[in-house]
Structures are given as structure tokens and as C-alpha cells.
Amino acid sequence: MSRPLLHLTVAAVLYFQGRYLLVEEKDKSSDRLVLNQPAGHVEENEDLISAVKRELQEETGLSLEPSAWLGISQLKAANGHFYVRVNFVFTPDELPALYQPQDTDILALHWLSLEELRSHVLPARSQLVLDAISQFEQKQLLPLCQIRNAITHSL
């Protein structure tokens, strides 16, 4: 029996002035437009915080520091792949006047409240999007110092 493919991903829950920043993208598996947090795969030799900052910058043009994390979410997709998603919180005091996606797969940026997201014409990419925002709204924040980076040693 083959094992499901495991994907380690990160996502940015960016909250500013009562709204969340979501990216509009095409879900390649279903060919439909969806809303997602800026998110993506962790690359080889990349730590989690560097990965989420890179994804945020690529998908929104914003260069920000995370303020907390929301823990780990997991999803078994219809294709049999298993996704482990580490969600980070960004709560900037201000944003630059101009910013735009660097990634051509991002079609638009949307600032939405949770209620606006729930009733939006475009669906959330997965339940993970709504779950992360709900966790944030319930103040289930974890300090970044709980993520430890191990020093690489030769064995």
C-alpha cells in the first residue's frame, strides 16, 4: 500500500483594520477561482518563518514580520495528498500605500472581514482558510519563541 504524499506548507493570516488579506487564485485541481491566505510550500533548507515571509512577499508584495502563530492545521485532500499547514499571524500597525503580488498566479488581493469572506461569491480554497481566521478571532495565538530552530550538526 502506498503512503499519501505529505506536503509541509505555511500560511499568513494578515489582519489590519478589521479585515483579512486574502489572495484570489485559480485552484489547479478544480480549475475554479478561490480565496486563500498567502500560503505555499516550505522550500528545501528553509525554516518556517522564512517560508511564510517569502510567501507573503511573493503573493502580496508586502515585506512584514509575523507577530504570532496559530499552530498546525492538517487536511487530507481529495487527491490523497496530506497537507500540514503552519499558520502565522501578521498584525501590522501600518501598511505601505502601494503593494501588489509578485507571483503571476495571484489574480487579485481582497481585504475582507470573516463575514464578508463567508458570503463572498468566491469560495475559500479549503476549510483551512476559515479555520485559521476563526482561531485568530478566538485569540488562540502562540508565541513565536515556541518554534525552535535546531542547529545543524554533522553526525
Side-chain angles (χ1 to χ4, degrees):
M1 181 175 179
S2 67
R3 300 169 100 186
L5 209 63
L6 180 66
H7 300 270
L8 179 59
T9 63
V10 291
V13 177
L14 197 157
Y15 182 77
F16 183 70
Q17 297 182 344
R19 295 209 164 8
Y20 299 92
L21 183 59
L22 296 146
V23 298
E24 181 178 331
E25 61 189 1
K26 185 177 271 191
D27 182 345
K28 293 172 183 156
S29 66
S30 67
D31 205 38
R32 67 184 177 139
L33 296 178
V34 295
L35 297 173
N36 195 9
Q37 278 106 6
H41 289 81
V42 176
E43 295 179 356
E44 188 174 347
N45 297 320
E46 187 175 46
D47 66 77
L48 295 171
I49 293 174
S50 297
V52 74
K53 289 170 55 176
R54 175 187 50 76
E55 288 293 345
L56 180 67
Q57 201 283 322
E58 288 175 359
E59 295 191 5
T60 69
L62 292 167
S63 181
L64 302 171
E65 295 292 325
S67 54
W69 69 298
L70 293 169
I72 297 170
S73 302
Q74 50 191 351
L75 173 75
K76 184 172 183 184
N79 62 8
H81 293 206
F82 195 75
Y83 293 86
V84 175
R85 186 184 206 226
V86 184
N87 299 296
F88 288 88
V89 174
F90 292 78
T91 53
D93 293 327
E94 60 185 1
L95 293 174
L98 297 174
Y99 50 93
Q100 64 182 19
Q102 310 299 302
D103 184 337
T104 57
D105 288 339
I106 303 305
L107 306 174
L109 301 177
H110 300 273
W111 285 99
L112 303 170
S113 68
L114 179 55
E115 288 310 311
E116 290 168 332
L117 173 59
R118 286 182 175 144
S119 63
H120 200 277
V121 64
L122 296 178
R125 182 177 182 109
S126 74
Q127 186 61 41
L128 296 178
V129 175
L130 297 166
D131 289 349
I133 291 174
S134 293
Q135 265 187 290
F136 174 80
E137 292 204 342
Q138 294 170 24
K139 307 290 187 229
Q140 295 178 6
L141 307 178
L142 301 164
L144 290 172
C145 66
Q146 294 297 313
I147 299 173
R148 305 212 193 288
N149 288 326
I151 298 171
T152 304
H153 294 325
S154 298
L155 296 179

